[in-house]
Amino acid sequence: MSVKTIYPKKGLKGEVRVPGDKSISHRSVMFGSIASGTTEITNFLQGADCLSTIRCFQKMGIEIEQKPDAVLVRGRGLYGLSAPEGTLDVGNSGTTTRLLSGILSGQDFTSVLSGDASLNSRPMGRVMSPLNSMGARIESVRNDGCAPLRIEPGVLHGIDYRSPVASAQVKSAVLLAGLYADGNTSVTEPALSRNHTELMLGGFGAEVSSGVLKDGSAVAGIRPCKQLYGQKIRVPGDISSAAYFIAAGLVVPGSEILLRNVGTNPTRAGILKVCEAMGADLTYLDRNTADCQAKQETGGEPTADILVRSGSLHGTVIEGSIIPTLIDEIPIIAVMAACAEGTTVIRDAAELKVKETNRIDTVTENLKAMGCSVTPTEDGMVIEGGKTLAGARIRSYLDHRIAMAFAVAGMAAEGETVIEDSQCVDVSYPDFFATLESLS
Ligand code: S3P
């Protein structure tokens, strides 16, 4: 087992350029593969999840070249994928599995998707059900609603799907299948989830519509499509990765960290609102340098440089439609809450239970190990902050976001903290520990 020891720190200083956004990197390879012509991707995230996506498409005959400064995807059109030999290995990646299921539903060959133990225990009924109602033929090989999934050729029809969960993976799977359908497709979700698919597919030439209704629910629609066109994509820095350094800058006393080129798409930036509600000192820089893209767009995705200075935080309530915009950041938000004065309540976040681990359980267990008073609930947790955390042995359960969140907690704690299975950070941020150390 790989372990990492974290020591208490004071005064983190420096500049961090976080790696490319994971969700956008996945999509750029997927859409590039089914587009006609070459897609050139810069700042692609070389994390294990996105490499799983690359390998799946290479196995279906797509030439993908890793150059030092770009990834080139030689797309072969909507119907240009070829039948893979053997199982497509999706590793730890839910995004690969669910979005690929939508694309594979429209192909004329059989495919099987399977991943690691965590992935193969996550719910896939949420994509199988709408896709099969479009005419796809997806079955769970073990008949337990999870991967491995076998996908047989089917004839797809457009549907208007009402998703019970706000999930960009579900929405994207249905919209991608909609490219191959014989009529229009729409997905309504209870609140707006990340909209990278809508933005990027539009850029590739698909006819996509989207809007938020008065009651807060969101609708995205797509028309069947004959061709997508290869694009140049500059992937913005991942706000989900920046989140650990935002939190470190806030909770480690005497810190000042400048984060460069962070994606600030409002459907992802809930953590910034929560930081402000907790009294954080964040400054958005708008300097006119090549690095600082504040208020500019990268392929429809806004970015900013963010200056973080430590200060005292107070508890807050996090609930409702903001939840999908910060769902992956809840472990690190919980750590901030533990370091803040007063109580933080997180609710409406039952989706935490079906992430890489059950994050209500894994956050609760590890915060308790550090001496924090936390009560898990059915759809979130209640955290009593303000007591200095005590260094502890942290069980990451191979969940990258748990490992990174508690490494930050360790810096704000008294005594040593040991992160078990620390190499799991490779899933989304291979250089995480080196970058964290560079700030000391
Ligand atoms: C993702 C969507 C979210 C998120 C995941 C990435 C995406 O999952 O948690 O890390 O790229 O579409 P859900 O769609 O299950 O909420």
Side-chain angles (χ1 to χ4, degrees):
M1 182 203 292
S2 59
V3 293
K4 195 88 198 167
T5 305
I6 305 288
Y7 301 96
K9 287 277 148 58
K10 286 218 166 22
L12 301 177
K13 297 262 181 307
E15 217 175 280
V16 175
R17 178 176 291 276
V18 292
D21 185 276
K22 182 153 81 71
S23 294
I24 296 173
S25 296
H26 278 300
R27 286 159 172 80
S28 59
V29 167
M30 292 182 186
F31 305 172
S33 295
I34 58 171
S36 302
T38 299
T39 288
E40 184 188 303
I41 312 163
T42 47
N43 201 33
F44 179 82
L45 170 62
Q46 299 285 345
D49 268 14
C50 298
L51 297 178
S52 294
T53 291
I54 287 191
R55 277 193 291 270
C56 285
F57 281 93
Q58 284 174 328
K59 228 174 162 175
M60 292 187 286
I62 302 298
E63 202 187 303
I64 301 176
E65 196 185 334
Q66 289 266 15
K67 306 243 289 200
D69 54 352
V71 175
L72 299 183
V73 181
R74 314 245 183 242
R76 299 185 56 189
L78 282 163
Y79 297 94
L81 301 177
S82 48
E85 248 180 59
T87 299
L88 293 168
D89 181 2
V90 293
N92 190 243
S93 176
T95 306
T96 311
T97 314
R98 297 196 177 109
L99 272 61
L100 203 44
S101 300
I103 293 173
L104 292 173
S105 296
Q107 307 303 319
D108 63 359
F109 53 78
T110 299
S111 50
V112 178
L113 298 177
S114 185
D116 66 14
S118 154
L119 187 283
N120 284 356
S121 66
R122 295 178 64 187
M124 294 299 152
R126 54 179 55 200
V127 287
M128 286 165 63
S129 163
L131 293 174
N132 286 345
S133 74
M134 293 176 81
R137 293 168 60 215
I138 311 181
E139 62 169 21
S140 157
V141 171
R142 292 191 312 242
N143 204 21
D144 59 357
C146 299
L149 302 178
R150 178 190 305 281
I151 306 178
E152 308 273 359
V155 178
L156 301 183
H157 311 292
I159 57 167
D160 294 309
Y161 181 61
R162 233 169 221 287
S163 173
V165 283
S167 160
Q169 294 180 355
V170 172
K171 172 173 63 178
S172 304
V174 175
L175 293 177
L176 285 164
L179 290 170
Y180 296 90
D182 61 6
N184 297 344
T185 293
S186 74
V187 183
T188 303
E189 49 182 353
L192 180 60
S193 65
R194 64 192 69 189
N195 63 357
H196 308 304
T197 294
E198 297 91 303
L199 292 176
M200 199 191 285
L201 267 183
F204 273 81
E207 279 188 70
V208 187
S209 60
S210 59
V212 176
L213 307 179
K214 274 198 186 125
D215 64 358
S217 61
V219 192
I222 196 158
R223 287 179 189 273
C225 180
K226 288 208 170 61
Q227 200 170 13
L228 300 174
Y229 302 90
Q231 300 294 311
K232 275 195 174 170
I233 294 176
R234 196 160 65 81
V235 180
D238 196 327
I239 190 165
S240 298
S241 299
Y244 304 102
F245 294 98
I246 294 173
L250 293 174
V251 302
V252 175
S255 298
E256 185 168 317
I257 303 175
L258 177 59
L259 292 156
R260 293 280 192 193
N261 185 36
V262 180
T264 52
N265 178 324
T267 66
R268 290 288 296 285
I271 185 170
L272 300 177
K273 288 188 188 155
V274 166
C275 287
E276 277 152 28
M278 295 178 88
D281 183 358
L282 300 183
T283 310
Y284 300 92
L285 300 180
D286 193 6
R287 289 175 306 180
N288 191 19
T289 67
D291 279 347
C292 178
Q293 297 282 325
K295 297 200 183 77
Q296 295 182 25
E297 307 270 321
T298 331
E301 297 281 351
T303 62
D305 289 0
I306 305 174
L307 180 64
V308 186
R309 292 194 196 92
S310 55
S312 64
L313 301 177
H314 52 80
T316 186
V317 177
I318 308 167
E319 62 184 349
S321 60
I322 198 171
I323 293 290
T325 73
L326 50 69
I327 190 72
D328 292 342
E329 286 65 77
I330 289 181
I332 189 63
I333 288 174
V335 167
M336 291 192 319
C339 299
E341 285 300 325
T343 306
T344 293
V345 180
I346 301 170
R347 52 172 86 99
D348 303 323
E351 279 294 295
L352 290 173
K353 293 180 183 170
V354 292
K355 294 299 174 187
E356 285 83 331
T357 56
N358 176 334
R359 289 184 179 155
I360 296 182
D361 289 352
T362 47
V363 167
T364 301
E365 175 185 330
N366 287 310
L367 276 184
K368 279 189 174 163
M370 298 188 87
C372 174
S373 163
V374 47
T375 311
T377 63
E378 258 316 291
D379 63 351
M381 59 196 94
V382 179
I383 299 161
E384 303 296 341
K387 212 167 107 186
T388 304
L389 295 174
R393 196 166 177 96
I394 297 299
R395 300 175 82 171
S396 71
Y397 294 99
L398 294 169
D399 183 337
H400 55 135
R401 302 212 184 278
I402 298 297
M404 291 188 278
F406 283 89
V408 172
M411 286 185 152
E414 266 171 11
E416 279 177 28
T417 292
V418 173
I419 312 285
E420 290 186 354
D421 288 316
S422 51
Q423 91 291 341
C424 66
V425 303
D426 288 354
V427 160
S428 63
Y429 201 159
D431 291 335
F432 173 75
F433 288 111
T435 307
L436 200 60
E437 274 151 29
S438 75
L439 296 172
S440 304

